[in-house]
Amino acid sequence: MSDVPVGEAPGSDPPGAPVPVATVRDLRVTVDGETLVDGVSLTALPGRCTALVGASGSGKSTTGLALLGEYPAGAEVSGTVRVTGRAGYVPQNPAAALNPARRAGALLADIARQGGGSRRERAARVRAALSAAQLPDPGQVLGRYPHQLSGGQQQRVVLAQALLSGAPVVVADEPTTGQDALTKRRVVDELRAVLARGAAVVLLSHDLDVVRELADEVVVLRAGRVVEAGPADQVLTDPRHAWTARLLTAARPETPDGPETDGPPEEAGAAPDSGLRVDGLTAWHGRRRGGAVVLREASLTLGAGQCLAVVGRSGSGKTTLARCLAGLHRRWSGRAVLDGEPLPRSLRHRRREQLAAVQYVFQDAKSSFDEYRPVVEQVARTAVRLRALPPAAARQEALETLVTVGVGEDTASRRPGELSGGELQRAALARALLARPRVLLCDEITSGLDPVTQRGILALLAGLTAGAEGMGLVLITHDLAVAAELADRIAVIDDGRIVEQGPAAGVLTCPAHPFTRSLLTAMPVLTTPGPSS
């Protein structure tokens, strides 16, 4: 058993009570005079799930990392953290836990080697962990580098790492972020199996559907403090604190406004006079054309002021489609035309106006920022480089845009490592908006946000796309409730092919393809929260 940091140990548990595998008592973490966590306490019991919920920056990740004995640089820490053995960890940004220079198979083999056994036994344990993490085909991931995996596949590889370690407690930081509804269901089932095997799970999540399914206890954080804690069924159905009630209310799914249709959704019509048209886009990995094909003959249109939601399971080709349109993946054939002008395949061949016109907001916001420079400087640089604004004017516009998306001036002046994942996602959105794009490509940008902040971002995006001259939005998402609320049209991708597309209301109420129906069936429905006192 390890104690980190120093402090008074908790008192003895009642006779016959389960022995905690991890406890946190009165934890306080302060960096440069700012309190990140203020008096947080929790207990992790074998076979039970304790969920920490709250807005981005509320202290969830700081608390979870404390169970690993990790704290921000320069942190002043008090209180007690006790862990039996070593905690496993599934991070919010899976790419941060994967060595970009090593294939996934080598990373997993290193962990398996620590458990001993013959090469055959170690390989069997790796296969079992991948299967348990919903990657039953090792060939899909073992030979690939992290950048060749989708965000969902990266997340599941990291989960397999945690399972291989055999840890008595697993800290899962947004484990379903960026996952489609079917994969999310499988990850939830696997975490439930982890609990059934007697391990404890400390779940840090904005996804209240997942919290509702897994959690035995819920701890609600706001600004580093616990505002409410108790059994999950009580906190999630009869919240005592107004902030908890607000989170639950904001998480209620929206119903699409369009009328139900009597037949299958219509196919994509004629190209709009302005906007984006894609014809026959086929993309592959590897140097040779047609090597490992990940996207096949994709065609779609996006008019000015419209939102197209691209949905499908992890690894289906959604992110590759967006990266091709942004010029970040140049191994593709076909044609992409914006406002009547063909888009070169690679960023290197696009003029400054074309670079500004198509902007990409990454799913992994952290990796898209320079860790050594203040966030506001990096956001402002977009306006300097792509719109030739003077630095002072660019900084002022950057600050105004950051505030609009919910990142305060003080927060924006910090380095990326001092911001939460949700804050960095909002900053990445602000950076893209400073280019004043014609088309904005958003890759799971709401998946790491709490329900209240997500609601604000969706309202902002809806305003940006309003009107015939508004910005076009391509929304890569696993959240069908978000697609229903924001999208004019939906394209469904399965195994690299667009299997269905049409008006959002038609696709969501009368799907024509079996895969679309399976996605809708897997989509959870929240129970309306009870009244707050």
Side-chain angles (χ1 to χ4, degrees), residues 483-498:
E485 181 173 350
L486 207 58
D488 301 289
R489 298 180 64 82
I490 291 179
V492 183
I493 295 185
D494 183 33
D495 194 24
R497 295 185 183 276
I498 296 180

Side-chain angles (χ1 to χ4, degrees), residues 128-338:
L130 286 170
S131 178
Q134 308 308 317
L135 286 168
D137 183 2
Q140 289 184 338
V141 297
L142 290 181
R144 295 186 181 182
Y145 292 97
H147 73 274
Q148 295 175 319
L149 303 174
S150 72
Q153 288 171 325
Q154 290 177 350
Q155 189 73 277
R156 281 172 276 161
V157 169
V158 172
L159 177 58
Q161 290 180 329
L163 295 173
L164 266 176
S165 72
V169 56
V170 174
V171 179
D173 192 351
E174 300 287 354
T176 56
T177 290
Q179 305 280 24
D180 62 89
L182 294 173
T183 304
K184 182 184 295 188
R185 166 59 50 195
R186 293 172 185 145
V187 171
V188 167
D189 289 344
E190 175 50 37
L191 289 176
R192 187 177 286 119
V194 170
L195 293 167
R197 291 198 290 267
V201 172
V202 177
L203 175 66
L204 322 179
S205 183
H206 291 125
D207 193 329
L208 296 185
D209 295 325
V210 172
V211 171
R212 192 180 301 277
E213 292 204 41
L214 286 173
D216 298 290
E217 303 286 329
V218 173
V219 178
V220 183
L221 295 175
R222 188 180 190 189
R225 293 173 178 253
V226 176
V227 297
E228 183 166 2
D233 54 358
Q234 179 269 307
V235 174
L236 297 177
T237 59
D238 186 22
R240 300 288 190 258
H241 195 277
W243 175 246
T244 310
R246 185 180 175 191
L247 282 175
L248 293 170
T249 300
R252 295 175 186 172
E254 300 287 335
T255 302
D257 296 329
E260 293 192 6
T261 59
D262 296 326
E266 62 188 59
E267 293 298 317
D273 294 333
S274 63
L276 177 70
R277 181 184 180 104
V278 178
D279 293 310
L281 193 156
T282 296
W284 60 90
H285 289 307
R287 296 188 176 184
R288 293 185 178 182
R289 177 169 177 167
V293 178
V294 292
L295 198 63
R296 298 172 176 83
E297 295 293 328
S299 297
L300 52 87
T301 59
L302 175 71
Q306 290 185 345
C307 174
L308 170 70
V310 182
V311 304
R313 70 177 69 200
S314 299
S316 62
K318 303 186 305 299
T319 293
T320 300
L321 171 62
R323 289 178 62 86
C324 288
L325 298 179
L328 298 171
H329 184 98
R330 58 188 177 87
R331 293 184 173 92
W332 61 275
S333 61
R335 182 177 171 86
V337 178
L338 178 62

Side-chain angles (χ1 to χ4, degrees), residues 107-117 121-123 125-126 164-165:
L107 297 172
L108 292 167
D110 284 348
I111 298 175
R113 194 174 293 113
Q114 296 174 9
E121 291 170 337
R122 296 196 301 268
R125 291 203 301 272
V126 168
L164 266 176
S165 72

